[in-house]
Every structure is written in structure tokens, then in C-alpha cells.
Amino acid sequence: DYLESGQTSVGTAIRIEHTAASPLGAKVTATVEIIAVTGRKIVFSVTANDSTGEIGKGTHTRFIVDTERFMKKAEGRK
């Protein structure tokens, strides 16, 4: 909903730290929040929790790109 027509976003980095184990069958919930927008770069904070607390955290970085240009470049890698 926030991108202009002809735009998409592509992931460029995922950095995750596993901080605790969850028991088998535990319900895990992930929470994501945008923490920075710099031009075309968007950085998300990610946390994962089970019923006892945090089990992981990290960041995910994406860039807004022109869809057609990106797909042409990707197809050129064949």
C-alpha cells in the first residue's frame, strides 16, 4: 500500500540472533517494526517470543526498487 506503482522492495540483509530455546509445540509470535527509513532503505526490527519470553531478535533490511528494472537485471543473470 505504501509503494508507488511500478515499485517493489527487495531484501538485502537479515541478521538474527537466537537467544533462547522453545519447547516442542510452543506457540511462537514474531513482531516486526520499522525502525528506520533512509531514502529507499527500510530497516525493520524483528523479535520472536514464546509464552516464556524472547527467543530471538534481529533486523531485516529492504530497499525500494523499480520492479521492471530489477527484473531485467535479475533475468540477465541467467
Side-chain angles (χ1 to χ4, degrees):
D1 292 342
Y2 298 99
L3 299 176
E4 295 179 14
S5 178
Q7 290 183 326
T8 191
S9 67
V10 295
T12 60
I14 297 175
R15 294 176 181 88
I16 301 294
E17 179 182 354
H18 189 232
T19 57
S22 287
L24 188 61
K27 180 179 177 181
V28 175
T29 304
T31 304
V32 180
E33 177 183 7
I34 295 173
I35 58 171
V37 178
T38 308
R40 299 180 304 118
K41 179 181 177 182
I42 306 166
V43 181
F44 298 85
S45 169
V46 181
T47 57
N49 293 275
D50 64 14
S51 62
T52 62
E54 181 185 285
I55 61 166
K57 61 184 175 182
T59 60
H60 177 55
T61 303
R62 300 187 70 80
F63 275 84
I64 297 171
V65 298
D66 177 273
T67 304
E68 185 177 332
R69 185 172 161 211
F70 176 80
M71 293 306 293
K72 281 181 182 177
K73 185 176 179 180
E75 289 295 318
R77 296 194 67 227
K78 288 183 181 179

